[in-house]
Amino acid sequence: MSMQAVSLVPSGLNQRILFLLAIAISKTAIAEEDVYEIELPDVEVTAAKRNASTHLTPVMAEVIADDSLQNAHVSQISQLNTLLPNFSIQQYGVYKSAYIRGVGGGGRNAGFDARTAIYVDGVNVGPTMSLESLLFDIDAVEIAKGPQGYTHGNQSDTGAIRITTQEATATPQAQIKFGLGHLDYRETTAVMNMPLAEHINSRIAIRKETRDGYVENDHTSQSLKDQDNTSARAQLQIQTSEQHRLKLYADYADLNNQNFLAQPLTGMFGQPAQSGNSFSRVFVNTQPVSHTLAQGFSIQSERQLANLAQLEVIVAARDHRHDRQTDNDYSGNDVLATYYKDRQQLTSQEFRYSSDTQAALRYVAGLYFSQEEQSNDRRAVFGNDMATLVKRPSATVFTPFGATFGVTAGAVVPLQATVNTQTQALYANASYDLDPFTLHIGGRYQWEQKQLAFSLDGSQSGAFRIGTLNQQKQAMANHFFSPLLAVSFHPNQRNTLLAKFARTYKNGGWNVDFLNRAQVQDGYAFAPESVDSLELGWHYQHRVFDFNTALFVNHYDNYQVFQFSRLGANTQVLQLRNAASVRTQGLEFSALVPIGQAWHINSTLAYLDASYLRFPSGGANGTDASGQALPDAPRWSMANTLNYGFHSGMLKGKLEASLQHYYQSATYSGISNEPETSQLARRNLLNSCLNYTMDNQHWLWSLWVRNLTNQQFAVAKGKDFLGNQIAIYNEPRLWGVSGEYRF
């Protein structure tokens, strides 16, 4: 494996990524071809859309190569947490969301768009349900930090996750991978690359992954948090002429698990918890179910023009469906359960013209169109125990729920919401060399129109006072211009200095959730937010040493906040509103250091200060939250990788060992705005892997361990609708053995 930091030398910039300007803090590892070679070779950056050496491309992206993913045994996007500082995937409620430099969120309901974009082979795939996607047959994953959208695709104000799969080639090849592990873990991956005719190449990849659950439900004697995932991907490339190539992609995923929302630390309304709940045990009567079905395709046309320019056209369509049932009282009592049927349909079309990459003046101009429909069909169902209270160990009397809350057993609160979003965008950027400086300018004009249809029937909710809306229809339209100005300075071959200023926007929306009557009456729309981003960077590259550092400051106005707010002593309401202003600032460092001929160290360190500058009524019970830290924004985070490799003549192959360490300082989490109930302790995690590769490259064997020291900690804490204090815990130690044969 080869571990290399992304360089920032500005000469010959690839215009596809001219404006992802800052410091690359990459996560790739030691040279696979020769572990004794110390000099850093070039590495290709797939985010550029057109492969280019990073010695010619300034990129602000953390690049994770496929071998690094395998060493950490990462098989889903949501498992990237431990590989990068200032980046995490968090789960609150049904869906997960990506956080970059302390800012994330989105996806719980159709009215709140996520801040981070996800691309697979250059196509926007929608960020919400895609975070559960399987990673297999991957070339690289890139985490681009900071405002995006100046070079292609959708707008995003925190960053983008870019996934590049292996390309179909004219060389026939096949490989099969299988593995066994702890908790009856099973994995099988099959890949076939086959030329079908002259100038026509195909590639098919299929993965199946299963694992037993590790949390026991004492109420039903079933194991929860299992996995049963199947995914497939197909690719066809047709070289119609020397100047034109047509690429067709299709993918399918069927993801199943019994993953409950969280584990309770208390009972409802803060009462003592029912016995039996712990890190590995729960006691719930509603069987948790989660099923995601995702599929999509894209057609991409690439034409080289006579003036060395390139014209690209991308047409894509996606369909994601998610079904889920959850136990919302976290107990064996039949009190409250929710049922979700959510769907996202997305079609997009993009045109991109790019000039000669070797000219002194380089530019890109593009058009992007998309049509997205997100729908929520959800039900909250009150169970039979709403009429009688089951005695708790500390209780001395029985109190009827029905008499207290006026809710009939079996009462249903239905919710239907559909948000249609049309997006049109024009973007352009240019770069001009003025040795030793390079000037970069760019901009994006985006027009977006949203239409909402929202129905909510809280007539049976009693004292919970859920509101009622009958096919409420609203619309909003926003247009904005996002400018960018950057300059890079390269005084010599080893040093590059970068400075970038950008302004971007995120559209407003609606809180289409189980709202109470006051929220319905006051209105549930929220305004667009804007962010001003300043980044300064320095990159130093020696023949055997690579160092990057970046300073960033982001200022958000009308920052969109999704949180639980206390309503009286016992219940919480979901709020989606605007905080007046937020600031995130910090430093990031990355160093790649080879030690001797076989050892390599890659170390990344991040410092983050993220807080509400002004949020007058953002605290519990409407208190002032100004100066309070943002959730899921640890002050310090660090990711280190130590690699050792050598060739064994006796074994006729290469042995490689990898140890990965992740640390983050204490923080608080969740959509609760009460830090005293959502404090998270600092954490240390170790992953390890031992690889053996035969000299003939046919066999590769791996022994891997995730969470080597079996650390147990909460990754999220807070309060929910019924006042339960809850926690979501990390996975326990998982280990396995996998073998791969390459034909």
Side-chain angles (χ1 to χ4, degrees), residues 169-214:
T169 67
T171 303
Q173 56 182 240
Q175 60 191 66
I176 185 167
K177 180 179 180 180
F178 51 88
L180 306 172
H182 181 45
L183 297 175
D184 201 24
Y185 177 82
R186 298 285 190 273
E187 65 169 322
T188 303
T189 303
V191 179
M192 177 174 290
N193 188 96
M194 180 66 65
L196 302 180
E198 188 176 7
H199 306 308
I200 302 178
N201 303 317
S202 67
R203 190 177 185 93
I204 298 176
I206 302 172
R207 179 172 175 84
K208 176 73 172 180
E209 184 179 41
T210 61
R211 191 201 66 206
D212 289 345
Y214 57 87

Side-chain angles (χ1 to χ4, degrees), residues 75-80 89 95-98 114 116-120 123-135 161 163 251 253 255 292-295 318-322 344 346 372:
S75 59
Q76 291 179 291
I77 298 176
S78 56
Q79 295 174 343
L80 294 172
I89 308 293
Y95 291 120
K96 297 179 179 179
S97 60
T116 302
I118 300 179
Y119 297 92
V120 177
V123 175
N124 176 28
V125 297
T128 303
M129 304 176 195
S130 298
L131 289 171
E132 298 291 351
S133 298
L134 300 185
L135 293 175
I161 302 172
I163 301 169
D251 63 90
L255 313 177
T292 298
L293 184 65
Q295 52 194 342
R318 299 206 62 79
D319 186 359
H320 290 201
R321 307 184 189 199
H322 183 80
Q344 179 196 42
L346 174 65
E372 181 180 28

Side-chain angles (χ1 to χ4, degrees), residues 383-423:
N384 294 324
D385 289 336
M386 284 300 294
T388 57
L389 175 63
V390 176
K391 182 178 179 181
R392 299 183 185 278
S394 60
T396 57
V397 295
F398 291 85
T399 303
F401 271 160
T404 303
F405 296 104
V407 179
T408 304
V412 178
V413 178
L415 178 156
Q416 290 88 31
T418 300
V419 176
N420 282 287
T421 304
Q422 292 183 341
T423 301

Side-chain angles (χ1 to χ4, degrees), residues 3-297:
M3 176 175 254
Q4 303 144 356
V6 176
S7 72
L8 296 168
V9 180
S11 59
L13 302 178
N14 185 307
Q15 71 275 22
R16 300 283 180 184
I17 45 176
L18 291 178
F19 303 109
L20 308 176
L21 297 174
I23 303 304
I25 304 175
S26 82
K27 272 266 177 240
T28 57
I30 301 179
E32 230 177 90
E33 298 303 322
D34 187 352
V35 296
Y36 301 107
E37 179 64 52
I38 302 178
E39 183 174 353
L40 299 178
D42 288 356
V43 63
E44 288 188 340
V45 178
T46 55
K49 303 287 188 174
R50 180 185 305 162
N51 288 338
S53 166
T54 55
H55 293 287
L56 305 177
T57 308
V59 177
M60 190 201 73
E62 297 173 87
V63 182
I64 312 170
D66 180 54
D67 49 9
S68 294
L69 297 174
Q70 292 189 34
N71 283 346
H73 202 74
V74 168
S75 59
Q76 291 179 291
I77 298 176
S78 56
Q79 295 174 343
L80 294 172
N81 281 4
T82 60
L83 299 183
L84 307 172
N86 265 353
F87 172 79
S88 63
I89 308 293
Q90 304 292 342
Q91 178 172 346
Y92 307 106
V94 173
Y95 291 120
K96 297 179 179 179
S97 60
Y99 280 71
I100 296 178
R101 291 174 173 172
V103 175
R108 178 186 165 91
N109 63 58
F112 187 22
D113 297 327
R115 293 183 171 97
T116 302
I118 300 179
Y119 297 92
V120 177
D121 293 321
V123 175
N124 176 28
V125 297
T128 303
M129 304 176 195
S130 298
L131 289 171
E132 298 291 351
S133 298
L134 300 185
L135 293 175
F136 65 105
D137 199 33
I138 298 297
D139 181 40
V141 176
E142 298 172 9
I143 310 300
K145 295 180 177 179
Q148 307 294 312
Y150 305 102
T151 56
H152 63 275
N154 200 26
Q155 176 79 308
S156 57
D157 57 357
T158 60
I161 302 172
R162 294 189 176 95
I163 301 169
T164 306
T165 65
Q166 296 286 349
E167 278 202 351
T169 67
T171 303
Q173 56 182 240
Q175 60 191 66
I176 185 167
K177 180 179 180 180
F178 51 88
L180 306 172
H182 181 45
L183 297 175
D184 201 24
Y185 177 82
R186 298 285 190 273
E187 65 169 322
T188 303
T189 303
V191 179
M192 177 174 290
N193 188 96
M194 180 66 65
L196 302 180
E198 188 176 7
H199 306 308
I200 302 178
N201 303 317
S202 67
R203 190 177 185 93
I204 298 176
I206 302 172
R207 179 172 175 84
K208 176 73 172 180
E209 184 179 41
T210 61
R211 191 201 66 206
D212 289 345
Y214 57 87
V215 176
E216 190 73 16
N217 183 6
D218 286 342
H219 187 79
T220 61
S221 299
Q222 290 182 310
S223 295
L224 306 180
K225 294 215 168 188
D226 60 337
Q227 287 185 355
D228 186 355
N229 301 325
T230 303
S231 190
R233 187 184 301 120
Q235 180 185 160
L236 184 67
Q237 292 201 17
I238 306 173
Q239 194 76 35
T240 61
S241 68
E242 291 185 4
Q243 294 77 32
H244 181 254
R245 179 170 61 168
L246 189 65
K247 299 191 293 186
L248 294 87
Y249 296 89
D251 63 90
Y252 171 86
D254 189 349
L255 313 177
N256 296 272
N257 63 63
Q258 299 178 87
N259 192 4
F260 49 85
L261 288 176
Q263 291 167 262
L265 304 178
T266 69
M268 289 179 295
F269 318 121
Q271 297 300 309
Q274 183 170 343
S275 60
N277 293 296
S278 66
F279 175 82
S280 59
R281 313 192 78 81
V282 293
F283 198 83
V284 295
N285 69 291
T286 301
Q287 181 69 17
V289 174
S290 178
H291 178 216
T292 298
L293 184 65
Q295 52 194 342
F297 73 90

